[in-house]
Amino acid sequence: MSERYNIKATEAKWRKIWADNDSFAVSENSDKPKYYVLEMFPYPSGRVHVGHVRNYTLGDVVARYKNAQGFNVMHPMGWDAFGLPAENAAIERGEHPAKWTHENIASMREQLKAMGLSIDWSREFATCDPEYYAHEQRMFLKFLERGIAYRKESVVNWDPIDNTVLANEQVIDGCGWRTGAPVERRKLNQWFLKITDYAEELLSSLDRLDKWPEKVRTMQSNWIGKSVGLQFKWDIIGSDGQVEVYTTRPDTLFGASFIALAPDHPMAKTLADGKDGYDEFIASCQAQGTSEAAIEQAEKIGFDTGFKATHPLLGHEIPIYIANFILMDYGTGAVFGVPAHDQRDFEFATKYDLPIMPVVIPDNKDDLNIDKQAYLGDGVLANSQFLDGMSIKDAKAAVISKCEESGTGFGTTQYRLRDWGISRQRYWGCPIPIIYCEDCGAVPVPEEQLPITLPKDVSFDKAGNPLDNHPTWKNVSCPTCGKAARRETDTFDTFFESSWYQFRYCDPKNENLPVDKDKAAYWLPKDGGVDQYIGGVEHAVLHLLYARFFTKAMRDCGFVESNEPFSGLFTQGMVTHETYKDENGKWIFPTDAIKNEAGDWVHIETGASVTIGAIIKMSKSKKNVIDPEEIMDKYGADAARLFILSDSPPERDLEWTESGIEGAWRFINKAYAAITALDLQKGDESNLSDNAKHMRRLTHKTIKGVSAAIEDFAMNKAVALLREFYNGFTSFKPVDDGDQFALSEAVNVFIIMINPIMPHLAEELWANIGHKNSLINEPWASYDESLIVSDSVTIAVQINGKVRATITLPTNADQKMAQEIALAEEKVQKAMEGKNLRKFIYVPKRIVNIVIG
RNA sequence: GGGCCUGUGGCGGAAUGGUAGACGCUGCAGACUUAAAAUCUGUUGUCCGUAUGGACGUGCCGGUUCGAGCCCGGCCAGGCCCA
């Protein structure tokens, strides 16, 4: 009789035992080596979603595995608690953002705890609490002192629906990343962080992040966008002005056939104002999108200023245009156009009938089709006087040094990266600790007045920033002169909070400092950081770049020693699900669709037919969502954890299926019953039958394989190996003491190895087979390589590369022996009839290939 | 337009250049049951064959190799990032 596994009661029992014993609390006072595992902390939206479950399950496997491996593991959790949804909730329901946020945190904390994560909850914090953001205000003032923070008037991306400024990164295809509304351009006084000062370090130290996905490093590198080029001046004929251009292709200078200015270039107005069609041209430029991609796709149009510039090397004259595809933000806002070697210039020159002169000739002249398109590839310089015959690289250097000699220009490095605008016209964020005084200007709030906390009595009735609308909060006296002054009502971008939270976990209660320097140095040492960081790839540029910059800025201000926050990074895939639509084409929830007896999908209530759509990322709008709480309620946390790790490699998208979660649930019940029913005995190691040796080989092979798979983040392979192992030892029938030993070893090892994946089941089984200790203090299983190697091996025999037979050879068989045995094989002889042996290939333990003809 | 990634049964996916399809899901057959569910056993790439067996098979075309899903070159399709 097998006992049924009471999942809910058992899982709750173990979670209580872990909590009562503070099982996952850690400190830096330990003899063991440290290991810091961190998942991107959640925004407290109110409900845990399946993406969270995947994220925290992956982290928990690593944390529990590293703990068993003998590391001092820190695995903390907190809340990225500032942000717009709380304010939107306040507007919609009249609930205060703080109340909404803390209620959400409370319910999500319970949901996360129900997953059985090995988290040190004593380190928990929420970024919306003054105990957290007070330190941001101190750091900001320090940044200000060191020139890392500054204020300037600038054109900003204005989201007309959210009524707020967006960072460049928050603008996608010219639209707000949250609202999708077309972004407008406005001029405002804004606070900035000088991330551009760190562009070179952020780029060059990417090389050292060798435990980061290549893809993320490439994305950051592209985002920083370093280019080395030439900046130099052209004389304008008939004017005493000069136009300064920037180019990344100085080698193509002899192919220049026009100059193009950005529409908002100061000189554009000077040269063209009042001319026929100029106003219309500018208007049409403003009508088009502001993003680089939009500009790229728009038709290339220009306005001829009528002025000409003198080519500095050729001496002849080329026209100066104003063109819609030149960006004022990049370089000098002016370029020289080389139609033969730049596609945009090519399109422009074709339209305005300008010369197209090739100056780079590819090895294969057929590749050069400059009547159809620009040539961008490699080649040798031509039509370029002293550059003729040079490579592109040499020609670039030659042009730069020529310009530097003549004093007309200089080689320079440009970055695409812009400074980080951190001001937001929002209530639910960290207040910027600045006071504006008519006489003294922008005055930092003195240390003793910190923290500046958010006023609790705010109204969301009016449009705009509630802090600005507040009757009294902003009215203060100037800290310097005492005159009536005005408080800064902007708050920090919420990426500010997530840029340094990895440090705060090291010392979450510190009132005086963001983090104690020694504690930070223990968990995030100079040459390392968080050992394993896990989260979605959507943060590849924004959060991960800001956090890297912030770490370096904090280092330079003396707060920490670290150079990089995250030494290991893993980016998980999305969770997807089938979509369902009813007869009217409306999305319906998976729980409302059911397969009827005829095998057709119908609505569970109405019985109307349901169409199955694409398998896409879970989203509320498409209703293809699964509630993790319901899943854990029905199947238990271990089943959810097992399924989410089973099928897909963690970096790929995972399709959530009912059959998948049910399969995981079945396995848990099956394993519980089978192992509980075993009558395990200690057995005797001294005299092992071949069967027992075979069992032990599987056990030790599995330890090796599972360990490697977990280290490699191949959790799906680890699960597969464990299932194979389970199938192996449950079909093993012990007949003597040696067999008993092998079986007992297998079961113990199995339980230890499923612990990171299914910790509740593991603890329960561990207790059931008679252990008194918790698995938390049980070391990981180790394997004996000598038990893995077998004395004989079955390998394939190929004839001309096709498998014809298999033979069993002693592991140490030599070529001669392999040949004898292989050629004696009946099937081999049959295949060789009438043919000659040309070559005999034997790769020990791998294969035999016989070449005949 | 450029860069990176991916392409394997009905499905998710395994496979240091060495027996392709591990492991799971689904399906099918059987056992148990009055019956169903659950559970257990077997089976499940395609084609030919009663069978022993054989042929084909990792998006397409070529190359390297005794041997290619894997390496190289060129296409095609999908995805991501940058333009």
PDB file of all heavy atoms in Angstrom, chain A residues 130 132-143 429-433 445 447 449-454 492 496 500:
ATOM      1  N   PRO A 130      11.649  55.678   3.122  1.00  0.00           N
ATOM      2  CA  PRO A 130      12.690  56.703   3.297  1.00  0.00           C
ATOM      3  C   PRO A 130      14.005  56.102   3.792  1.00  0.00           C
ATOM      4  O   PRO A 130      15.074  56.623   3.465  1.00  0.00           O
ATOM      5  CB  PRO A 130      12.098  57.635   4.349  1.00  0.00           C
ATOM      6  CG  PRO A 130      10.632  57.397   4.306  1.00  0.00           C
ATOM      7  CD  PRO A 130      10.414  55.994   3.845  1.00  0.00           C
ATOM      8  N   TYR A 132      15.416  53.685   2.703  1.00  0.00           N
ATOM      9  CA  TYR A 132      16.176  53.319   1.501  1.00  0.00           C
ATOM     10  C   TYR A 132      16.560  54.563   0.706  1.00  0.00           C
ATOM     11  O   TYR A 132      17.723  54.817   0.427  1.00  0.00           O
ATOM     12  CB  TYR A 132      15.374  52.365   0.626  1.00  0.00           C
ATOM     13  CG  TYR A 132      16.130  51.883  -0.607  1.00  0.00           C
ATOM     14  CD1 TYR A 132      17.011  50.812  -0.523  1.00  0.00           C
ATOM     15  CD2 TYR A 132      15.973  52.494  -1.853  1.00  0.00           C
ATOM     16  CE1 TYR A 132      17.708  50.360  -1.642  1.00  0.00           C
ATOM     17  CE2 TYR A 132      16.665  52.061  -2.968  1.00  0.00           C
ATOM     18  CZ  TYR A 132      17.533  50.987  -2.852  1.00  0.00           C
ATOM     19  OH  TYR A 132      18.237  50.552  -3.953  1.00  0.00           O
ATOM     20  N   TYR A 133      15.553  55.374   0.371  1.00  0.00           N
ATOM     21  CA  TYR A 133      15.865  56.433  -0.591  1.00  0.00           C
ATOM     22  C   TYR A 133      16.625  57.609   0.029  1.00  0.00           C
ATOM     23  O   TYR A 133      17.204  58.416  -0.698  1.00  0.00           O
ATOM     24  CB  TYR A 133      14.618  56.862  -1.385  1.00  0.00           C
ATOM     25  CG  TYR A 133      13.497  57.575  -0.674  1.00  0.00           C
ATOM     26  CD1 TYR A 133      13.652  58.879  -0.218  1.00  0.00           C
ATOM     27  CD2 TYR A 133      12.246  56.974  -0.539  1.00  0.00           C
ATOM     28  CE1 TYR A 133      12.600  59.556   0.389  1.00  0.00           C
ATOM     29  CE2 TYR A 133      11.184  57.642   0.061  1.00  0.00           C
ATOM     30  CZ  TYR A 133      11.364  58.940   0.530  1.00  0.00           C
ATOM     31  OH  TYR A 133      10.324  59.608   1.110  1.00  0.00           O
ATOM     32  N   ALA A 134      16.639  57.680   1.350  1.00  0.00           N
ATOM     33  CA  ALA A 134      17.464  58.711   1.996  1.00  0.00           C
ATOM     34  C   ALA A 134      18.907  58.631   1.493  1.00  0.00           C
ATOM     35  O   ALA A 134      19.560  59.653   1.261  1.00  0.00           O
ATOM     36  CB  ALA A 134      17.442  58.523   3.512  1.00  0.00           C
ATOM     37  N   HIS A 135      19.371  57.400   1.316  1.00  0.00           N
ATOM     38  CA  HIS A 135      20.763  57.223   0.880  1.00  0.00           C
ATOM     39  C   HIS A 135      20.966  57.676  -0.557  1.00  0.00           C
ATOM     40  O   HIS A 135      22.050  58.095  -0.940  1.00  0.00           O
ATOM     41  CB  HIS A 135      21.168  55.767   1.064  1.00  0.00           C
ATOM     42  CG  HIS A 135      21.052  55.324   2.500  1.00  0.00           C
ATOM     43  ND1 HIS A 135      21.922  55.769   3.468  1.00  0.00           N
ATOM     44  CD2 HIS A 135      20.151  54.539   3.119  1.00  0.00           C
ATOM     45  CE1 HIS A 135      21.562  55.245   4.638  1.00  0.00           C
ATOM     46  NE2 HIS A 135      20.489  54.497   4.452  1.00  0.00           N
ATOM     47  N   GLU A 136      19.912  57.586  -1.346  1.00  0.00           N
ATOM     48  CA  GLU A 136      20.021  58.059  -2.729  1.00  0.00           C
ATOM     49  C   GLU A 136      20.220  59.573  -2.744  1.00  0.00           C
ATOM     50  O   GLU A 136      20.956  60.105  -3.565  1.00  0.00           O
ATOM     51  CB  GLU A 136      18.751  57.722  -3.513  1.00  0.00           C
ATOM     52  CG  GLU A 136      18.582  56.238  -3.688  1.00  0.00           C
ATOM     53  CD  GLU A 136      17.417  55.887  -4.594  1.00  0.00           C
ATOM     54  OE1 GLU A 136      16.724  56.801  -5.075  1.00  0.00           O
ATOM     55  OE2 GLU A 136      17.225  54.694  -4.816  1.00  0.00           O
ATOM     56  N   GLN A 137      19.531  60.227  -1.827  1.00  0.00           N
ATOM     57  CA  GLN A 137      19.670  61.692  -1.775  1.00  0.00           C
ATOM     58  C   GLN A 137      21.099  62.066  -1.373  1.00  0.00           C
ATOM     59  O   GLN A 137      21.687  62.986  -1.939  1.00  0.00           O
ATOM     60  CB  GLN A 137      18.630  62.258  -0.810  1.00  0.00           C
ATOM     61  CG  GLN A 137      17.204  62.017  -1.321  1.00  0.00           C
ATOM     62  CD  GLN A 137      16.129  62.446  -0.345  1.00  0.00           C
ATOM     63  OE1 GLN A 137      16.389  62.665   0.836  1.00  0.00           O
ATOM     64  NE2 GLN A 137      14.897  62.549  -0.829  1.00  0.00           N
ATOM     65  N   ARG A 138      21.652  61.326  -0.416  1.00  0.00           N
ATOM     66  CA  ARG A 138      23.046  61.601  -0.015  1.00  0.00           C
ATOM     67  C   ARG A 138      24.012  61.328  -1.170  1.00  0.00           C
ATOM     68  O   ARG A 138      24.934  62.094  -1.423  1.00  0.00           O
ATOM     69  CB  ARG A 138      23.427  60.719   1.181  1.00  0.00           C
ATOM     70  CG  ARG A 138      22.662  61.069   2.431  1.00  0.00           C
ATOM     71  CD  ARG A 138      23.390  60.615   3.689  1.00  0.00           C
ATOM     72  NE  ARG A 138      22.572  60.965   4.849  1.00  0.00           N
ATOM     73  CZ  ARG A 138      21.697  60.124   5.411  1.00  0.00           C
ATOM     74  NH1 ARG A 138      21.574  58.891   4.956  1.00  0.00           N
ATOM     75  NH2 ARG A 138      20.969  60.508   6.425  1.00  0.00           N
ATOM     76  N   MET A 139      23.759  60.206  -1.848  1.00  0.00           N
ATOM     77  CA  MET A 139      24.659  59.874  -2.964  1.00  0.00           C
ATOM     78  C   MET A 139      24.550  60.915  -4.065  1.00  0.00           C
ATOM     79  O   MET A 139      25.548  61.308  -4.660  1.00  0.00           O
ATOM     80  CB  MET A 139      24.334  58.480  -3.507  1.00  0.00           C
ATOM     81  CG  MET A 139      24.879  57.369  -2.627  1.00  0.00           C
ATOM     82  SD  MET A 139      24.783  55.745  -3.416  1.00  0.00           S
ATOM     83  CE  MET A 139      23.093  55.320  -3.138  1.00  0.00           C
ATOM     84  N   PHE A 140      23.328  61.385  -4.305  1.00  0.00           N
ATOM     85  CA  PHE A 140      23.136  62.390  -5.352  1.00  0.00           C
ATOM     86  C   PHE A 140      23.924  63.662  -5.034  1.00  0.00           C
ATOM     87  O   PHE A 140      24.580  64.241  -5.910  1.00  0.00           O
ATOM     88  CB  PHE A 140      21.647  62.707  -5.503  1.00  0.00           C
ATOM     89  CG  PHE A 140      21.361  63.835  -6.443  1.00  0.00           C
ATOM     90  CD1 PHE A 140      21.414  63.648  -7.818  1.00  0.00           C
ATOM     91  CD2 PHE A 140      21.066  65.109  -5.962  1.00  0.00           C
ATOM     92  CE1 PHE A 140      21.151  64.694  -8.686  1.00  0.00           C
ATOM     93  CE2 PHE A 140      20.813  66.162  -6.829  1.00  0.00           C
ATOM     94  CZ  PHE A 140      20.858  65.953  -8.198  1.00  0.00           C
ATOM     95  N   LEU A 141      23.870  64.081  -3.761  1.00  0.00           N
ATOM     96  CA  LEU A 141      24.603  65.300  -3.381  1.00  0.00           C
ATOM     97  C   LEU A 141      26.110  65.094  -3.539  1.00  0.00           C
ATOM     98  O   LEU A 141      26.835  66.007  -3.925  1.00  0.00           O
ATOM     99  CB  LEU A 141      24.243  65.711  -1.951  1.00  0.00           C
ATOM    100  CG  LEU A 141      22.776  66.138  -1.773  1.00  0.00           C
ATOM    101  CD1 LEU A 141      22.490  66.483  -0.317  1.00  0.00           C
ATOM    102  CD2 LEU A 141      22.431  67.326  -2.683  1.00  0.00           C
ATOM    103  N   LYS A 142      26.550  63.895  -3.264  1.00  0.00           N
ATOM    104  CA  LYS A 142      27.962  63.575  -3.461  1.00  0.00           C
ATOM    105  C   LYS A 142      28.312  63.604  -4.959  1.00  0.00           C
ATOM    106  O   LYS A 142      29.359  64.111  -5.360  1.00  0.00           O
ATOM    107  CB  LYS A 142      28.246  62.182  -2.865  1.00  0.00           C
ATOM    108  CG  LYS A 142      29.703  61.847  -2.725  1.00  0.00           C
ATOM    109  CD  LYS A 142      30.274  62.399  -1.445  1.00  0.00           C
ATOM    110  CE  LYS A 142      31.761  62.076  -1.362  1.00  0.00           C
ATOM    111  NZ  LYS A 142      32.385  62.728  -0.218  1.00  0.00           N
ATOM    112  N   PHE A 143      27.410  63.061  -5.744  1.00  0.00           N
ATOM    113  CA  PHE A 143      27.604  63.075  -7.201  1.00  0.00           C
ATOM    114  C   PHE A 143      27.697  64.520  -7.699  1.00  0.00           C
ATOM    115  O   PHE A 143      28.502  64.850  -8.566  1.00  0.00           O
ATOM    116  CB  PHE A 143      26.434  62.385  -7.924  1.00  0.00           C
ATOM    117  CG  PHE A 143      26.397  60.886  -7.787  1.00  0.00           C
ATOM    118  CD1 PHE A 143      25.299  60.162  -8.263  1.00  0.00           C
ATOM    119  CD2 PHE A 143      27.443  60.174  -7.204  1.00  0.00           C
ATOM    120  CE1 PHE A 143      25.248  58.789  -8.149  1.00  0.00           C
ATOM    121  CE2 PHE A 143      27.394  58.798  -7.081  1.00  0.00           C
ATOM    122  CZ  PHE A 143      26.289  58.101  -7.563  1.00  0.00           C
ATOM    123  N   GLY A 429       8.259  58.801  -6.362  1.00  0.00           N
ATOM    124  CA  GLY A 429       9.674  58.578  -6.612  1.00  0.00           C
ATOM    125  C   GLY A 429      10.461  59.263  -5.511  1.00  0.00           C
ATOM    126  O   GLY A 429       9.877  59.920  -4.639  1.00  0.00           O
ATOM    127  N   CYS A 430      11.771  59.143  -5.589  1.00  0.00           N
ATOM    128  CA  CYS A 430      12.614  59.748  -4.556  1.00  0.00           C
ATOM    129  C   CYS A 430      12.771  61.253  -4.830  1.00  0.00           C
ATOM    130  O   CYS A 430      13.237  61.645  -5.900  1.00  0.00           O
ATOM    131  CB  CYS A 430      13.980  59.067  -4.576  1.00  0.00           C
ATOM    132  SG  CYS A 430      15.174  59.859  -3.489  1.00  0.00           S
ATOM    133  N   PRO A 431      12.405  62.126  -3.866  1.00  0.00           N
ATOM    134  CA  PRO A 431      12.545  63.568  -4.087  1.00  0.00           C
ATOM    135  C   PRO A 431      14.010  63.968  -4.313  1.00  0.00           C
ATOM    136  O   PRO A 431      14.910  63.422  -3.677  1.00  0.00           O
ATOM    137  CB  PRO A 431      12.021  64.183  -2.786  1.00  0.00           C
ATOM    138  CG  PRO A 431      11.185  63.121  -2.160  1.00  0.00           C
ATOM    139  CD  PRO A 431      11.806  61.827  -2.560  1.00  0.00           C
ATOM    140  N   ILE A 432      14.213  64.894  -5.222  1.00  0.00           N
ATOM    141  CA  ILE A 432      15.564  65.362  -5.508  1.00  0.00           C
ATOM    142  C   ILE A 432      15.918  66.441  -4.484  1.00  0.00           C
ATOM    143  O   ILE A 432      15.196  67.437  -4.360  1.00  0.00           O
ATOM    144  CB  ILE A 432      15.655  65.909  -6.951  1.00  0.00           C
ATOM    145  CG1 ILE A 432      15.284  64.791  -7.941  1.00  0.00           C
ATOM    146  CG2 ILE A 432      17.049  66.459  -7.230  1.00  0.00           C
ATOM    147  CD1 ILE A 432      15.285  65.218  -9.398  1.00  0.00           C
ATOM    148  N   PRO A 433      16.992  66.261  -3.710  1.00  0.00           N
ATOM    149  CA  PRO A 433      17.262  67.137  -2.555  1.00  0.00           C
ATOM    150  C   PRO A 433      17.923  68.463  -2.946  1.00  0.00           C
ATOM    151  O   PRO A 433      19.089  68.706  -2.667  1.00  0.00           O
ATOM    152  CB  PRO A 433      18.212  66.285  -1.708  1.00  0.00           C
ATOM    153  CG  PRO A 433      18.943  65.444  -2.716  1.00  0.00           C
ATOM    154  CD  PRO A 433      17.982  65.179  -3.841  1.00  0.00           C
ATOM    155  N   VAL A 445      20.263  70.496  -0.492  1.00  0.00           N
ATOM    156  CA  VAL A 445      19.693  70.423   0.846  1.00  0.00           C
ATOM    157  C   VAL A 445      20.804  69.983   1.803  1.00  0.00           C
ATOM    158  O   VAL A 445      21.497  69.012   1.523  1.00  0.00           O
ATOM    159  CB  VAL A 445      18.522  69.426   0.880  1.00  0.00           C
ATOM    160  CG1 VAL A 445      18.038  69.209   2.306  1.00  0.00           C
ATOM    161  CG2 VAL A 445      17.385  69.908  -0.014  1.00  0.00           C
ATOM    162  N   GLU A 447      22.955  68.268   4.670  1.00  0.00           N
ATOM    163  CA  GLU A 447      22.970  66.890   5.180  1.00  0.00           C
ATOM    164  C   GLU A 447      21.973  66.670   6.328  1.00  0.00           C
ATOM    165  O   GLU A 447      21.210  65.715   6.345  1.00  0.00           O
ATOM    166  CB  GLU A 447      24.412  66.574   5.638  1.00  0.00           C
ATOM    167  CG  GLU A 447      24.606  65.256   6.351  1.00  0.00           C
ATOM    168  CD  GLU A 447      24.692  64.075   5.393  1.00  0.00           C
ATOM    169  OE1 GLU A 447      25.096  64.258   4.231  1.00  0.00           O
ATOM    170  OE2 GLU A 447      24.355  62.964   5.826  1.00  0.00           O
ATOM    171  N   GLN A 449      19.277  68.063   7.055  1.00  0.00           N
ATOM    172  CA  GLN A 449      17.850  68.130   6.725  1.00  0.00           C
ATOM    173  C   GLN A 449      17.359  66.895   5.977  1.00  0.00           C
ATOM    174  O   GLN A 449      16.189  66.796   5.620  1.00  0.00           O
ATOM    175  CB  GLN A 449      17.562  69.380   5.900  1.00  0.00           C
ATOM    176  CG  GLN A 449      17.676  70.664   6.700  1.00  0.00           C
ATOM    177  CD  GLN A 449      17.399  71.883   5.840  1.00  0.00           C
ATOM    178  OE1 GLN A 449      16.655  71.829   4.865  1.00  0.00           O
ATOM    179  NE2 GLN A 449      18.016  73.009   6.206  1.00  0.00           N
ATOM    180  N   LEU A 450      18.295  65.973   5.692  1.00  0.00           N
ATOM    181  CA  LEU A 450      17.921  64.770   4.951  1.00  0.00           C
ATOM    182  C   LEU A 450      17.336  63.745   5.908  1.00  0.00           C
ATOM    183  O   LEU A 450      17.694  63.726   7.078  1.00  0.00           O
ATOM    184  CB  LEU A 450      19.138  64.178   4.231  1.00  0.00           C
ATOM    185  CG  LEU A 450      19.739  65.054   3.121  1.00  0.00           C
ATOM    186  CD1 LEU A 450      20.933  64.341   2.492  1.00  0.00           C
ATOM    187  CD2 LEU A 450      18.707  65.383   2.051  1.00  0.00           C
ATOM    188  N   PRO A 451      16.497  62.844   5.477  1.00  0.00           N
ATOM    189  CA  PRO A 451      15.992  62.771   4.111  1.00  0.00           C
ATOM    190  C   PRO A 451      14.829  63.714   3.859  1.00  0.00           C
ATOM    191  O   PRO A 451      14.121  64.073   4.775  1.00  0.00           O
ATOM    192  CB  PRO A 451      15.500  61.321   4.012  1.00  0.00           C
ATOM    193  CG  PRO A 451      15.085  60.972   5.399  1.00  0.00           C
ATOM    194  CD  PRO A 451      16.033  61.716   6.302  1.00  0.00           C
ATOM    195  N   ILE A 452      14.707  64.122   2.616  1.00  0.00           N
ATOM    196  CA  ILE A 452      13.497  64.820   2.185  1.00  0.00           C
ATOM    197  C   ILE A 452      12.470  63.735   1.889  1.00  0.00           C
ATOM    198  O   ILE A 452      12.642  62.945   0.959  1.00  0.00           O
ATOM    199  CB  ILE A 452      13.747  65.631   0.891  1.00  0.00           C
ATOM    200  CG1 ILE A 452      14.945  66.564   1.061  1.00  0.00           C
ATOM    201  CG2 ILE A 452      12.494  66.381   0.486  1.00  0.00           C
ATOM    202  CD1 ILE A 452      14.789  67.547   2.197  1.00  0.00           C
ATOM    203  N   THR A 453      11.449  63.677   2.709  1.00  0.00           N
ATOM    204  CA  THR A 453      10.454  62.624   2.498  1.00  0.00           C
ATOM    205  C   THR A 453       9.277  63.165   1.711  1.00  0.00           C
ATOM    206  O   THR A 453       9.002  64.369   1.702  1.00  0.00           O
ATOM    207  CB  THR A 453       9.956  62.053   3.839  1.00  0.00           C
ATOM    208  OG1 THR A 453       9.473  63.143   4.629  1.00  0.00           O
ATOM    209  CG2 THR A 453      11.080  61.351   4.584  1.00  0.00           C
ATOM    210  N   LEU A 454       8.576  62.262   1.082  1.00  0.00           N
ATOM    211  CA  LEU A 454       7.397  62.636   0.302  1.00  0.00           C
ATOM    212  C   LEU A 454       6.285  63.028   1.256  1.00  0.00           C
ATOM    213  O   LEU A 454       6.077  62.366   2.273  1.00  0.00           O
ATOM    214  CB  LEU A 454       6.928  61.443  -0.533  1.00  0.00           C
ATOM    215  CG  LEU A 454       7.814  61.051  -1.710  1.00  0.00           C
ATOM    216  CD1 LEU A 454       7.412  59.676  -2.220  1.00  0.00           C
ATOM    217  CD2 LEU A 454       7.708  62.087  -2.810  1.00  0.00           C
ATOM    218  N   PHE A 492      13.421  61.313  -8.758  1.00  0.00           N
ATOM    219  CA  PHE A 492      14.357  60.540  -9.589  1.00  0.00           C
ATOM    220  C   PHE A 492      13.628  59.525 -10.464  1.00  0.00           C
ATOM    221  O   PHE A 492      12.625  58.924 -10.048  1.00  0.00           O
ATOM    222  CB  PHE A 492      15.332  59.747  -8.703  1.00  0.00           C
ATOM    223  CG  PHE A 492      16.373  60.579  -8.012  1.00  0.00           C
ATOM    224  CD1 PHE A 492      16.708  60.319  -6.687  1.00  0.00           C
ATOM    225  CD2 PHE A 492      17.048  61.589  -8.676  1.00  0.00           C
ATOM    226  CE1 PHE A 492      17.676  61.060  -6.035  1.00  0.00           C
ATOM    227  CE2 PHE A 492      18.021  62.336  -8.029  1.00  0.00           C
ATOM    228  CZ  PHE A 492      18.336  62.075  -6.704  1.00  0.00           C
ATOM    229  N   PHE A 496      16.941  54.720 -10.855  1.00  0.00           N
ATOM    230  CA  PHE A 496      17.884  55.114  -9.805  1.00  0.00           C
ATOM    231  C   PHE A 496      17.894  54.059  -8.695  1.00  0.00           C
ATOM    232  O   PHE A 496      18.952  53.625  -8.237  1.00  0.00           O
ATOM    233  CB  PHE A 496      17.414  56.455  -9.226  1.00  0.00           C
ATOM    234  CG  PHE A 496      18.514  57.392  -8.817  1.00  0.00           C
ATOM    235  CD1 PHE A 496      18.982  58.343  -9.702  1.00  0.00           C
ATOM    236  CD2 PHE A 496      19.065  57.347  -7.545  1.00  0.00           C
ATOM    237  CE1 PHE A 496      19.985  59.237  -9.328  1.00  0.00           C
ATOM    238  CE2 PHE A 496      20.068  58.236  -7.163  1.00  0.00           C
ATOM    239  CZ  PHE A 496      20.526  59.177  -8.058  1.00  0.00           C
ATOM    240  N   TRP A 500      21.421  50.441  -7.494  1.00  0.00           N
ATOM    241  CA  TRP A 500      22.371  50.183  -6.397  1.00  0.00           C
ATOM    242  C   TRP A 500      21.833  49.219  -5.337  1.00  0.00           C
ATOM    243  O   TRP A 500      22.476  48.950  -4.340  1.00  0.00           O
ATOM    244  CB  TRP A 500      22.796  51.506  -5.737  1.00  0.00           C
ATOM    245  CG  TRP A 500      21.708  52.196  -4.960  1.00  0.00           C
ATOM    246  CD1 TRP A 500      20.680  52.913  -5.467  1.00  0.00           C
ATOM    247  CD2 TRP A 500      21.549  52.215  -3.532  1.00  0.00           C
ATOM    248  NE1 TRP A 500      19.883  53.375  -4.452  1.00  0.00           N
ATOM    249  CE2 TRP A 500      20.390  52.982  -3.254  1.00  0.00           C
ATOM    250  CE3 TRP A 500      22.277  51.679  -2.463  1.00  0.00           C
ATOM    251  CZ2 TRP A 500      19.932  53.216  -1.950  1.00  0.00           C
ATOM    252  CZ3 TRP A 500      21.823  51.916  -1.170  1.00  0.00           C
ATOM    253  CH2 TRP A 500      20.657  52.670  -0.930  1.00  0.00           C
TER     254      TRP A 500
END
